[in-house]
Amino acid sequence: MMKQNKAVNENHKKKSLNPKDWELATLEVIANQGVSAVAVETIAKVLGVTKGSFYWHFTNRKDLIVAALKRWRDEDNKIIKQRVLSVSDPYKRLKTWFLLSSEPLQSHLIYATLLADRQHSYVSKVLKEVTVERLKYLQQCYQDIGYSETQAKQQSLLAYSVYVGYLHMTKTLHGQFKHDTNVEQYVKHVAGQLIHPPESLSIELSPLNSDL
Amino acid sequence: MMKQNKAVNENHKKKSLNPKDWELATLEVIANQGVSAVAVETIAKVLGVTKGSFYWHFTNRKDLIVAALKRWRDEDNKIIKQRVLSVSDPYKRLKTWFLLSSEPLQSHLIYATLLADRQHSYVSKVLKEVTVERLKYLQQCYQDIGYSETQAKQQSLLAYSVYVGYLHMTKTLHGQFKHDTNVEQYVKHVAGQLIHPPESLSIELSPLNSDL
DNA sequence: GATTGTCAATACGCAAGCGTATGGAAAATT
DNA sequence: AATTTTCCATACGCTTGCGTATTGACAATC
């Protein structure tokens, strides 16, 4: 009954695989190489089995990916609920979100690669839904601060764009996440720019008003 | 010089294709479906020929993509030089850049899809170089305003992240670019937040200071 | 007008990757 | 103990897409 799979080297006892094993391995692939890199035979090899196993647990490749993404989404929602939405003060809540966004979590990697592989309809569907969800609670934060609905919409879109952009920039520039002091300082800088009371929105300090 | 291919239906006369025709058609595919969707036989069909033609002009698929990306990069640089870098006032220059960034140009679509297909080394290479280039002149703008080098670095990274994020958000939310009045208003909002004199950086209006 | 060069069509080989069919071994059930 | 269920291996067929080889047509040049 002993086995040597599930992760590559975990010689625990486990007689057989379950869908969760496949989904977790799939998320690992998605996080690092994207949805298009999800190949059943490859993942099977990682799990120490062959295709025969896979098609017993899932009907096809798409089924696997959809299940994996569902798992990712649920997991992500759980984290947000626990660590962000639980903060009552909206300023602190926003700052917490920004800090969380800069943490090197697999969840972020997955989101970033989903942005890439959105040519698949089942990917873009999840992506859009998750994005809308996230924008919603960000908007709520800004409304809690005192922003009007319109202002909060724009500001949350801006804040979220920064998040998405940050994900890409770190990948593009380092090829990897680097969670060092520079990142911390940058997040502070960003938060300082994007978290402030609504009154400061109308305060235009730049000479742009007179020009454009 | 006239022809009947290049685009799908242009019944002009043209005896034969040249590399440029292939590169333009390739950029069209990249802009809409990404690098991984570049298939020689498909593009050949668009151009009204078969593979036989392709392998006369290029050695292989990678060769085509690299050439197409070079063309894209050169073209993009030309636009930036003409429309952005030519503006002497740094505030106006920044604002011009933001406005340009929201225009529905093919160049932006291509950049967005490159962010997706960066698993290919030859893509990530170009991507990184272009990104560094762009960050450089953005940083220069902020330094011209009076930002310190460190401040300008962070601020340009922030501004550029917004750009990248915006590209993705529009795709994710609408599936398409929508250059309407909403976009215009949003850009105004963003510019108001991200273009200001360096003194305002230290002005912390939010209650965050006392909390975190 | 014969030859050479340019550009493209057709046919083929080959690898990757999905899905199916079938059989087999171990475990659970009866 | 026999049988059924669970889980997986092996082998096969099929499609897509790259790259090559060969041939051909039209133009340019000699």
Side-chain angles (χ1 to χ4, degrees):
Chain A
M1 9 165 87
M2 305 289 237
K3 270 237 170 167
Q4 86 293 10
N5 30 26
K6 174 175 187 189
V8 192
N9 296 339
E10 281 192 37
N11 37 4
H12 299 162
K13 67 255 155 159
K14 172 143 190 197
K15 28 186 201 281
S16 62
L17 297 175
N18 55 37
K20 180 178 176 181
D21 298 321
W22 285 92
E23 291 164 15
L24 291 181
T26 301
L27 286 179
E28 196 65 35
V29 172
I30 292 179
N32 296 314
Q33 301 161 272
V35 173
S36 46
V38 173
V40 284
E41 274 149 311
T42 305
I43 297 181
K45 190 174 285 178
V46 171
L47 294 175
V49 293
T50 64
K51 289 169 52 168
S53 171
F54 173 78
Y55 285 98
W56 195 89
H57 296 288
F58 298 89
T59 67
N60 55 27
R61 177 175 174 271
K62 175 180 169 180
D63 186 25
L64 169 67
I65 295 173
V66 169
L69 291 185
K70 172 168 173 38
R71 176 172 294 277
W72 161 73
R73 182 176 176 177
D74 292 342
E75 201 58 39
D76 189 72
N77 276 334
K78 213 170 77 186
I79 294 177
I80 291 290
K81 193 179 274 181
Q82 286 176 351
R83 295 188 46 189
V84 177
L85 299 187
S86 62
V87 179
S88 54
D89 178 68
Y91 289 103
K92 277 189 189 173
R93 202 189 313 148
L94 276 173
K95 182 117 184 183
T96 304
W97 179 78
F98 273 108
L99 286 173
L100 182 67
S101 299
S102 72
E103 284 183 22
L105 301 177
Q106 192 203 44
S107 173
H108 297 139
L109 282 174
I110 292 176
Y111 185 83
T113 64
L114 290 189
L115 289 169
D117 296 86
R118 73 156 84 71
Q119 45 259 8
H120 314 282
S121 59
Y122 51 96
V123 170
S124 73
K125 184 173 174 295
V126 180
L127 189 59
K128 180 166 183 172
E129 289 171 358
V130 169
T131 302
V132 169
E133 279 173 14
R134 293 175 168 185
L135 280 174
K136 215 176 212 166
Y137 63 68
L138 272 184
Q139 182 185 338
Q140 188 58 53
C141 287
Y142 281 109
Q143 287 188 345
D144 289 347
I145 289 182
Y147 282 57
S148 73
E149 191 185 321
T150 307
Q151 284 178 332
K153 265 205 176 72
Q154 293 191 336
Q155 188 69 8
S156 59
L157 191 60
L158 173 57
Y160 197 75
S161 291
V162 173
Y163 163 68
V164 172
Y166 173 77
L167 290 180
H168 276 297
M169 295 306 288
T170 50
K171 276 196 164 187
T172 301
L173 263 29
H174 320 308
Q176 294 278 351
F177 265 98
K178 284 214 302 185
H179 192 68
D180 53 15
T181 48
N182 282 339
V183 171
E184 221 168 300
Q185 208 164 5
Y186 175 69
V187 173
K188 215 169 164 183
H189 177 85
V190 171
Q193 300 263 332
L194 298 181
I195 309 178
H196 45 63
E199 310 89 55
S200 59
L201 268 186
S202 43
I203 301 178
E204 287 284 333
L205 296 162
S206 77
L208 276 177
N209 300 329
S210 45
D211 288 340
L212 296 176
Chain B
M1 11 175 75
M2 310 286 234
K3 53 142 90 168
Q4 92 296 3
N5 26 28
K6 177 186 187 178
V8 190
N9 294 338
E10 286 190 34
N11 40 2
H12 301 161
K13 65 230 158 185
K14 170 147 188 192
K15 27 180 198 285
S16 62
L17 297 173
N18 55 39
K20 180 179 177 181
D21 298 320
W22 285 92
E23 291 163 16
L24 291 180
T26 301
L27 286 179
E28 197 66 32
V29 173
I30 292 179
N32 296 313
Q33 302 162 270
V35 173
S36 45
V38 173
V40 284
E41 274 149 310
T42 306
I43 298 181
K45 190 174 285 179
V46 171
L47 293 176
V49 293
T50 63
K51 290 170 53 168
S53 170
F54 173 77
Y55 285 98
W56 196 90
H57 296 287
F58 298 89
T59 67
N60 55 27
R61 178 176 174 271
K62 175 180 170 182
D63 186 24
L64 168 67
I65 295 173
V66 169
L69 291 184
K70 173 167 174 37
R71 176 172 294 276
W72 162 72
R73 183 176 177 177
D74 291 342
E75 202 58 39
D76 189 73
N77 277 334
K78 212 169 78 184
I79 294 177
I80 292 291
K81 193 179 274 181
Q82 285 176 350
R83 294 187 47 188
V84 177
L85 300 186
S86 62
V87 179
S88 53
D89 177 68
Y91 290 103
K92 279 190 189 172
R93 201 188 314 149
L94 275 173
K95 182 119 184 182
T96 304
W97 180 78
F98 274 107
L99 287 172
L100 181 68
S101 298
S102 72
E103 285 182 22
L105 300 178
Q106 191 203 44
S107 174
H108 296 140
L109 282 174
I110 292 175
Y111 184 83
T113 63
L114 290 189
L115 289 169
D117 297 87
R118 70 156 88 69
Q119 45 259 6
H120 314 282
S121 59
Y122 52 96
V123 171
S124 72
K125 184 172 174 293
V126 180
L127 188 59
K128 182 167 183 174
E129 288 170 358
V130 169
T131 302
V132 169
E133 278 173 15
R134 293 175 168 186
L135 280 174
K136 214 175 213 167
Y137 63 68
L138 271 184
Q139 181 185 338
Q140 188 58 53
C141 287
Y142 281 108
Q143 288 189 345
D144 288 347
I145 288 181
Y147 283 58
S148 73
E149 191 184 322
T150 306
Q151 284 178 331
K153 264 204 175 74
Q154 294 191 335
Q155 189 68 9
S156 59
L157 191 59
L158 173 57
Y160 197 75
S161 291
V162 173
Y163 163 67
V164 172
Y166 173 75
L167 290 180
H168 277 295
M169 296 305 289
T170 50
K171 277 196 164 187
T172 301
L173 263 27
H174 319 307
Q176 294 278 350
F177 265 98
K178 285 215 300 187
H179 192 69
D180 52 15
T181 48
N182 282 338
V183 171
E184 221 168 298
Q185 208 164 5
Y186 176 69
V187 174
K188 215 169 164 181
H189 178 85
V190 171
Q193 300 263 333
L194 298 180
I195 308 178
H196 44 64
E199 310 89 54
S200 57
L201 268 187
S202 43
I203 302 176
E204 287 285 330
L205 297 162
S206 78
L208 278 177
N209 300 328
S210 45
D211 289 338
L212 298 175

